[in-house]
Amino acid sequence: MILELDCGNSFIKWRVIHAADATIVGGGIVDSDQALIDDVRALASLRLTGCRIVSVRSEDETSALCALIDKAFAVLARVAEPARAMAGVHNGYEDYQRLGMDRWLAVLGAFHLAKGACLVIDLGTAAKADFVSASGEHLGGYICPGMPLMRSQLRTHTRRIRYDDASAERALSSLSPGRSTVEAVERGCVLMLQGFARTQLEQARALWGDDFSVFLTGGDAPLVREAAPQARVVPDLVFVGLAMACPLD
């Protein structure tokens, strides 16, 4: 079994797969290293033979997690590293090491699945878009605040905006003009995300006409499904790229 980790700034997304056929044994999202260890240990018949990680954390934080995994499960973790080119994709950043590893691996995974030009829209803490040509050239992309950041900034800097997560979830039952603050904020943020997605699609059509694939990934991908009905939703797109960057026998 292989433990796969996508380590963001706030959360760790994890899953355990069978090495032979990549079937998923278990997975989840946790907010601390120790919570990760506890949840993985709770899996029945766990027999880890390897671990691979993509991390946007500092080197010290990532190393500390690797040490904890080694101590808990006696496996050495492989950490994905930047590359100028891999699996037919050429990194489009002037300084290739500055492209976020989560974006790079999502691009690798998307191009592998598309076998041609593709647009990747990743909606998590930040909203990100990346463009890859049919020849595998990463053309760059865009980053803006995602739903959590937009919501947090409004809550932090506007005194009268106060509501809980349950209220936020109820507010998204519709996108009609809000008749309360929570509805106005939540629906307004969703419309901004949908506008972001539509703009990326316009950019892609200007580049390639209709000859491209669209991938939606990230926790808030369902919120923009209406704006990109032709998109393929792949929640574990980063893990597809991670397996390519860190192959394990």
Side-chain angles (χ1 to χ4, degrees):
M1 295 179 183
I2 296 172
L3 173 62
E4 298 182 321
L5 305 178
D6 179 3
C7 302
N9 292 306
S10 302
F11 298 99
I12 301 172
K13 183 177 181 180
W14 68 274
R15 71 179 191 179
V16 172
I17 62 173
H18 283 295
D21 56 10
T23 55
I24 299 174
V25 178
I29 298 175
V30 294
D31 59 4
S32 71
D33 294 358
Q34 189 56 53
L36 167 70
I37 299 301
D38 294 342
D39 282 6
V40 174
R41 274 180 172 156
L43 289 178
S45 304
L46 181 70
R47 295 178 183 174
L48 289 184
T49 58
C51 173
R52 50 192 170 215
I53 298 176
V54 53
S55 176
V56 298
R57 297 177 169 189
S58 70
E59 288 187 14
D60 288 344
E61 290 173 316
T62 303
S63 295
L65 176 57
C66 290
L68 190 61
I69 290 169
D70 185 19
K71 180 179 179 181
F73 304 114
V75 294
L76 295 177
R78 287 192 59 187
V79 180
E81 297 182 351
R84 278 192 196 280
M86 181 177 289
V89 181
H90 296 269
N91 193 313
Y93 262 30
E94 295 176 1
D95 180 356
Y96 74 93
Q97 297 187 37
R98 300 291 293 176
L99 177 62
M101 286 303 302
D102 53 343
R103 288 175 63 195
W104 174 236
L105 295 185
V107 161
L108 291 181
F111 187 73
H112 171 73
L113 295 174
K115 303 294 191 295
C118 55
L119 165 64
V120 181
I121 301 176
D122 185 348
L123 300 171
T125 303
K128 296 162 284 189
D130 283 283
F131 299 77
V132 187
S133 73
S135 63
E137 291 293 331
H138 172 233
L139 305 180
Y142 299 92
I143 304 174
C144 71
M147 193 78 175
L149 284 178
M150 287 191 285
R151 181 188 292 128
S152 173
Q153 287 300 301
L154 284 168
R155 284 177 171 177
T156 301
H157 296 289
T158 307
R159 291 184 179 181
R160 292 182 179 272
I161 295 180
R162 295 289 185 272
Y163 55 84
D164 57 26
D165 291 341
S167 298
E169 185 174 346
R170 288 194 298 271
L172 293 179
S173 61
S174 163
L175 290 181
S176 61
R179 296 175 63 86
S180 66
T181 298
V182 61
E183 289 179 354
V185 169
E186 292 296 312
R187 295 174 188 180
C189 290
V190 169
L191 290 177
M192 289 189 73
L193 282 188
Q194 291 186 351
F196 176 79
R198 289 190 177 100
T199 300
Q200 307 315 309
L201 289 169
E202 290 172 5
Q203 295 265 34
R205 290 191 190 101
L207 287 168
W208 306 308
D210 292 325
D211 191 16
F212 66 95
S213 300
V214 185
F215 295 89
L216 287 178
T217 190
D220 286 327
L223 296 179
V224 304
R225 195 71 179 89
E226 180 182 332
Q230 73 274 51
R232 179 176 173 182
V233 179
V234 185
D236 293 332
L237 187 58
V238 168
F239 286 142
V240 175
L242 179 60
M244 299 163 67
C246 298
L248 297 173
D249 295 331

